[in-house]
Amino acid sequence: MSNHWHRAIAELSAQGTAAWAAAQRADDAPGPVRPTAKVISNTVDTDYLRSARELLRAHLTDRRPPRRLPVARVWPCFRDLWEARAGNGRGGVWRAIPRCADLVQMRSAPPSDRLAAVVHQAEALQASLHGKRTMHRLYESYIPGPRSDAITELVGSGRSAPAMPGFPDPGHIVNRAFPRGSGRRIRPDRREEFNRLWSERSAVHTRARAFGDAVLALLVEDRMGGVAPQPGRLRGAGRWVRRERHLVPDRTKWPTKLNAYQAVALAGLAWLVLACTGLPLTFGKKADLLSHAPLLLLAACLIACTGIGLIIRHGPKMIKVPGIGAAVPGIAAALAAIVLWQGQGPVASYFFAGPYERYEREYANECLAASPYRRETVRSMIDDGVLTVTPLSGGTTLRLGPAEDGSTHPLRPQDRATRAVLDEYGC
């Protein structure tokens, strides 16, 4: 057996151990961390299922196993969003279930007891997926009775609402999208089927762990001669079992209703984000980069999204101070926004000045201040990227370049006569 299979089976064993530990932790965790523990358990089960499926494919086709088993990535700065998304989708377990092509591949392999157990668990997972896809079709729209009370409303008593013309099935997506009744209930004649499908769907994580264990036993038998390896390196969500507070620490929540001081703070922070959003547009205009408008708009959108994300992430902590203290961050942000809003134009104009402004800054107000080449005593124009400066009293015409809008390059003499005049005045 190659070292690649030894490493892959050891990592799969580590994922299996973490999956069962996470499931136990989800049942025993204290109340404040139980939702996070449940999300971790679901994600670890999905990692175990996905890794087992990939290794099984490689084993049945006699290929080298993947160098890294597929696991979910938990980004440090977005763990709150990750928890919400993984919790709504059961950790993505539905996308990791073996498909019909996988079952065909398993059944076409040489039969064995271990492989038969894998096929049985894969079929059970298919049943869970079928329950998930079919359950919503067992609901129907209904019309409550004329004397319905709270009890009858709870159990959904009444008569079935008529279906849409051309769609006789009450559970069809059209009848669910355009209900003709005032309530929604399980169809009375299919409640037993609904309970069975509910049980099938609810057992998906237990079956995912069972499928992973069956694949692990098959690989140990066929690839390692029945000698189980020591658990290998653990990656992904399995590293956070029993560390829920480190994964998603307790943070200050947004208040259900903002008071006046908190509203002032939020308005000041929003103004600061708006001022920062204008930076790429202001500097892009002064630098004559409007031909790259999509890039400037993209930069502005990135700044806006970053600012909004920071407010969502740290805003509750900044405005949790009682009284007028909650408005202090907003007032400071508003003052910073005023400075930034008023200052970005002059700063951009200074760094990306036009040819006339650069002539005044580099020559007219410096070495040529006491010469006939002062701004008020010359006639200047731009011709083909060259700034020509002609004194009204007569004299050598200066030719300076590059004369471009939004350029940061200094103006340089373009001929010997201009160079001689500048040397005469010590420029």
Side-chain angles (χ1 to χ4, degrees):
M1 186 203 65
S2 66
N3 292 330
H4 300 284
W5 275 107
H6 188 283
R7 173 191 49 78
I9 295 174
E11 290 187 8
L12 184 65
S13 176
Q15 288 188 5
T17 303
W20 287 103
Q24 185 64 37
R25 175 63 175 174
D27 295 334
D28 301 339
V33 300
R34 184 169 296 169
T36 304
K38 186 64 176 178
V39 171
I40 293 175
S41 176
N42 293 345
T43 307
V44 177
D45 291 343
T46 303
D47 291 345
Y48 191 30
L49 175 59
R50 188 182 294 116
S51 299
R53 188 185 64 179
E54 292 297 323
L55 291 183
L56 180 62
R57 288 176 179 174
H59 171 68
L60 295 179
T61 56
D62 200 20
R63 292 183 290 107
R64 176 181 293 183
R67 296 184 60 182
R68 302 185 69 177
L69 298 183
V71 295
R73 294 185 178 182
V74 185
W75 299 103
C77 299
F78 302 97
R79 290 173 181 170
D80 295 333
L81 299 178
W82 168 84
E83 181 184 11
R85 182 174 180 273
N88 293 333
R90 285 181 174 260
V93 69
W94 304 114
R95 297 189 301 271
I97 291 177
R99 302 308 186 201
C100 295
D102 297 316
L103 281 172
V104 172
Q105 186 183 42
M106 298 176 201
R107 290 166 179 158
S108 62
S112 66
D113 294 339
R114 299 290 188 184
L115 184 59
V118 173
V119 173
H120 175 71
Q121 297 300 335
E123 291 174 345
L125 286 170
Q126 285 282 330
S128 295
L129 182 60
H130 174 74
K132 188 257 182 183
R133 292 175 173 176
T134 312
M135 277 183 54
H136 61 274
R137 297 187 65 91
L138 303 184
Y139 286 93
E140 68 172 1
S141 175
Y142 77 100
I143 301 174
R147 297 183 178 180
S148 61
D149 53 16
I151 302 298
T152 57
E153 289 287 346
L154 183 63
V155 299
S157 63
R159 61 186 179 89
S160 300
M164 297 291 291
F167 300 95
D169 183 8
H172 195 277
I173 186 173
V174 175
N175 291 314
R176 288 185 282 111
F178 304 99
R180 307 183 74 177
S182 58
R184 185 169 177 263
R185 68 178 181 180
I186 303 171
R187 295 161 66 175
D189 58 333
R190 306 189 70 175
R191 286 180 180 173
E192 293 185 2
E193 182 181 359
F194 178 86
N195 293 334
R196 179 180 59 81
L197 293 177
W198 177 273
S199 301
E200 296 281 0
R201 191 187 71 165
S202 302
V204 62
H205 288 285
T206 303
R207 293 173 176 178
R209 294 191 294 272
F211 176 82
D213 291 345
V215 172
L216 179 61
L218 173 66
L219 296 178
V220 169
E221 182 71 23
D222 293 352
R223 294 286 178 174
M224 301 191 64
V227 180
Q230 293 294 327
R233 180 187 176 187
L234 182 62
R235 298 182 298 109
R239 298 183 294 112
W240 299 100
V241 178
R242 298 186 180 276
R243 297 172 56 202
E244 296 84 6
R245 293 189 182 276
H246 294 86
L247 177 65
V248 184
D250 293 334
R251 297 190 178 100
T252 306
K253 305 297 182 182
W254 279 97
T256 55
K257 184 178 181 180
L258 299 176
N259 58 36
Y261 300 116
Q262 292 171 339
V264 168
L266 192 59
L269 294 172
W271 191 6
L272 180 60
V273 172
L274 181 62
C276 293
T277 303
L279 287 174
L281 304 178
T282 301
F283 279 83
K285 180 180 179 180
K286 294 296 182 180
D288 197 23
L289 294 176
L290 294 182
S291 58
H292 300 81
L295 293 178
L296 298 177
L297 292 176
L298 178 61
C301 291
L302 289 177
I303 293 176
C305 293
T306 302
I308 294 173
L310 291 175
I311 291 177
I312 294 175
R313 171 68 175 79
H314 301 284
K317 185 177 181 180
M318 290 188 290
I319 64 175
K320 71 176 183 179
V321 181
I324 195 174
V328 172
I331 296 174
L335 295 176
I338 293 174
V339 174
L340 190 62
W341 193 271
Q342 297 295 329
Q344 58 182 319
V347 171
S349 299
Y350 178 83
F351 284 103
F352 300 100
Y356 301 109
E357 290 79 6
R358 283 188 286 141
Y359 173 74
E360 289 187 2
R361 186 190 307 166
E362 298 174 17
Y363 296 105
N365 295 335
E366 296 294 334
C367 55
L368 300 180
S371 70
Y373 295 93
R374 300 185 305 274
R375 180 63 185 270
E376 63 273 8
T377 61
V378 297
R379 183 177 66 254
S380 57
M381 62 178 295
I382 298 175
D383 183 17
D384 196 18
V386 177
L387 176 65
T388 59
V389 181
T390 304
L392 298 177
S393 59
T396 304
T397 298
L398 303 183
R399 293 173 53 83
L400 304 168
E404 301 173 348
D405 291 331
S407 176
T408 57
H409 299 288
L411 295 174
R412 299 300 184 190
Q414 301 296 302
D415 53 26
R416 293 184 178 180
T418 302
R419 179 73 268 176
V421 172
L422 296 181
D423 290 341
E424 177 182 355
Y425 289 100
C427 297

